[in-house]
Amino acid sequence: MTDSSNGRSRVPRERHRGAVTLRRESIPPSTADEKLLDSHHRGEWKTKDAWRALRILSEFVEGFDTLADLPPAVSVFGSARSSPESPECEMAAQLGAALAEAGYAVITGGGPGVMEAANRGATEAGGMSVGLGIELPFEQGLNDWVDIGIDFRYFFVRKTMFVKYAQAFVVLPGGFGTLDELFEAITLVQTRKVTRFPVILMGIEYWSGLLDWIKQRLLADGKVGPDDMDLIMLTDDVEEAVQIIVNAENGKR
């Protein structure tokens, strides 16, 4: 397909729903997650939710079956909007390579920006690179550096895969989605749903304001305890981040 205004190749709009690819006018105005969660769709609850449960189950089966044979892995999060030349993308590429060299697969959301940089670093270093995509209104698609990719309809299924198959989370600068994964991981560790699971923030300048707010508001008001602050590690050093993960896997503090 060609854009007649400038003669350049134009990629058609595209959305993935599991094994199905939809393009152009075939793309529906809503996503599977929206239809499940938005109360405006309550008219479908009695007629469609029972069938949705089977689709949700199939996504769990697909994820479990595909990822069961992964080597030890680390989930890496960060903004899809970061440019390839940004400091966080450069850091993500170095991190992906260092994790691969340490024997870890790298799991990302499979999108562009920081995710693509981490996948690229891992692949170029000879490691396993995994992308767990999600159906969104603004479809991104899996980046070209993903070796194993799964497209999910439901966020909560995808989130299970990020945690179940990872030994750690590394969180680089990002937005709401990145913060969502960060605080969910911290909550799982705090409530001991997962153990020996480092949560590492990379980007001292970026994250320091958030950590200061947590200390000055949450900790000062007793909303979190002093020990909870130890659940988050902050560094700009790729080698230090990888060593933290290795130490945790070996049972070292």
Side-chain angles (χ1 to χ4, degrees):
M1 182 176 291
T2 303
D3 185 337
S4 59
S5 64
N6 55 24
R8 292 181 299 180
S9 175
R10 177 160 52 92
V11 178
R13 287 194 310 131
E14 185 173 285
R15 182 181 296 178
H16 298 277
R17 279 189 162 178
V20 178
T21 298
L22 301 170
R23 288 179 175 167
R24 293 175 288 274
E25 287 75 19
S26 295
I27 300 175
S30 60
T31 64
D33 255 336
E34 179 190 334
K35 288 185 176 181
L36 175 68
L37 300 173
D38 195 330
S39 62
H40 290 103
H41 297 283
R42 64 181 299 123
E44 299 182 359
W45 290 354
K46 278 189 173 292
T47 59
K48 295 187 177 181
D49 274 3
W51 292 106
R52 285 195 181 107
L54 295 177
R55 180 177 285 167
I56 291 166
L57 177 61
S58 73
E59 289 212 337
F60 276 113
V61 171
E62 186 73 37
F64 293 158
D65 187 57
T66 302
L67 301 176
D69 294 325
L70 276 186
V74 174
S75 290
V76 179
F77 300 96
S79 178
R81 303 182 183 189
S82 297
S83 68
E85 299 79 20
S86 65
E88 60 262 31
C89 281
E90 293 179 5
M91 183 182 291
Q94 294 170 13
L95 175 67
L99 288 169
E101 291 165 0
Y104 293 97
V106 171
I107 303 173
T108 77
V114 168
M115 294 175 281
E116 182 172 5
N119 285 134
R120 176 172 62 83
T123 299
E124 290 182 340
M128 175 65 68
S129 188
V130 179
L132 307 181
I134 186 70
E135 179 190 13
L136 294 171
F138 38 91
E139 182 66 32
Q140 297 171 341
L142 296 175
N143 67 67
D144 292 338
W145 298 96
V146 168
D147 298 315
I148 297 175
I150 308 175
D151 281 306
F152 292 95
R153 291 179 173 91
Y154 299 101
F155 265 109
F156 54 88
V157 180
R158 180 187 188 226
K159 286 183 174 184
T160 299
M161 305 304 156
F162 278 132
V163 176
K164 180 175 177 63
Y165 296 101
Q167 274 65 53
F169 274 16
V170 181
V171 186
L172 287 88
F176 287 153
T178 302
L179 290 170
D180 175 49
E181 298 293 352
L182 166 62
F183 283 108
E184 183 165 43
I186 295 169
T187 302
L188 290 171
V189 177
Q190 182 195 45
T191 56
R192 300 185 182 177
K193 299 297 183 182
V194 294
T195 58
R196 288 192 302 172
F197 194 91
V199 179
I200 304 167
L201 297 179
M202 296 199 70
I204 292 175
E205 182 179 0
Y206 190 86
W207 295 113
S208 291
L210 175 63
L211 293 181
D212 288 342
W213 178 81
I214 292 173
K215 294 173 184 176
Q216 294 165 8
R217 298 297 306 187
L218 304 187
L219 182 60
D221 290 348
K223 303 297 189 296
V224 299
D227 291 344
D228 292 331
M229 299 304 302
D230 296 333
L231 302 178
I232 311 170
M233 285 152 278
L234 180 64
T235 184
D236 278 336
D237 190 320
V238 168
E239 291 184 6
E240 181 183 8
V242 174
Q243 193 60 53
I244 289 170
I245 296 167
V246 171
N247 290 345
E249 188 177 3
N250 294 334
K252 300 177 183 178
R253 294 187 63 84

